[in-house]
């Protein structure tokens, strides 16, 4: 059985530690090899499912895929305060995810206030409010 079969079997058995170890050894962000890049994305998903937020947060400092996957995970788990903290610390992706969430849940004024409070000069965040919050 090769590493890929073992990783899939570990994932199926919810042995996330084993799956993460196997996949991460064959993963590379922005690799010229599409398989290594796909494995990198798989690795990020495995980290989320294993709830390894500290590891994902550390990777997010230098890895756009980890950053996006972390913010998406926070959104999926309803952790708005964590998204806001990340946005306040300068994570623009977290701001965009938070604003979209507020717009989707009908909180236009809250979304506008978040943009004003956190990054009032951010044109893209204002654009999200203007396009996503209005019916």
């Amino acid at each position: 059985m090769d590493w890929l079969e073992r990783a899939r079997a570990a994932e199926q058995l919810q042995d996330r530690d084993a799956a993460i170890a196997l996949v991460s050894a064959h993963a590379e962000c922005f690799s010229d090899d599409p398989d290594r890049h796909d494995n990198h994305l798989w690795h990020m998903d495995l980290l989320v499912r294993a709830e390894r937020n500290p590891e994902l947060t550390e990777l997010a400092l230098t890895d756009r895929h980890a950053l996006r996957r972390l913010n998406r995970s926070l959104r999926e788990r309803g952790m708005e305060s964590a998204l806001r903290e990340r946005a306040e610390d300068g994570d623009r992706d977290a701001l965009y995810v938070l604003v979209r969430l507020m717009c989707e849940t009908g909180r236009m004024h809250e979304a506008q206030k978040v943009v004003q409070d956190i990054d009032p000069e951010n044109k893209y965040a204002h654009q999200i409010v203007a396009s996503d919050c209005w019916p």
Side-chain angles (χ1 to χ4, degrees):
M1 184 183 302
D2 71 352
W3 77 267
L4 184 59
E5 291 170 337
R6 290 194 325 267
R8 287 187 178 142
E11 186 178 22
Q12 189 99 17
L13 295 169
Q14 295 186 0
D15 184 353
R16 293 194 174 99
D17 292 335
I20 288 167
L22 288 162
V23 173
S24 67
H26 299 275
E28 184 180 334
C29 185
F30 295 115
S31 174
D32 290 335
D33 177 346
D35 290 333
R36 290 187 76 77
H37 180 72
D38 287 347
N39 292 338
H40 175 69
L41 300 177
W42 184 15
H43 179 220
M44 298 302 105
D45 285 339
L46 287 169
L47 291 174
V48 167
R49 282 186 259 140
E51 297 181 3
R52 288 194 185 178
N53 281 350
E55 190 173 341
L56 199 55
T57 300
E58 182 69 28
L59 287 170
L61 295 172
T62 58
D63 183 328
R64 297 291 303 162
H65 299 107
L67 177 85
R68 290 182 183 135
R69 194 59 187 93
L70 173 63
N71 290 335
R72 194 170 74 209
S73 171
L74 293 173
R75 175 199 165 118
E76 290 165 356
R77 294 181 7 227
M79 299 179 70
E80 283 187 33
S81 61
L83 280 170
R84 185 177 180 118
E85 281 180 36
R86 293 186 58 74
E88 288 171 344
D89 287 341
D91 180 347
R92 290 183 306 180
D93 183 69
L95 176 62
Y96 304 151
V97 169
L98 179 61
V99 169
R100 280 191 183 99
L101 175 60
M102 289 176 167
C103 288
E104 290 168 7
T105 54
R107 297 178 286 158
M108 177 194 64
H109 296 295
E110 232 181 296
Q112 287 173 320
K113 182 165 176 21
V114 162
V115 173
Q116 279 307 122
D117 290 350
I118 295 175
D119 193 356
E121 302 300 316
N122 188 316
K123 291 178 184 178
Y124 186 63
H126 285 287
Q127 181 182 342
I128 292 170
V129 172
S131 64
D132 292 3
C133 280
W134 299 98

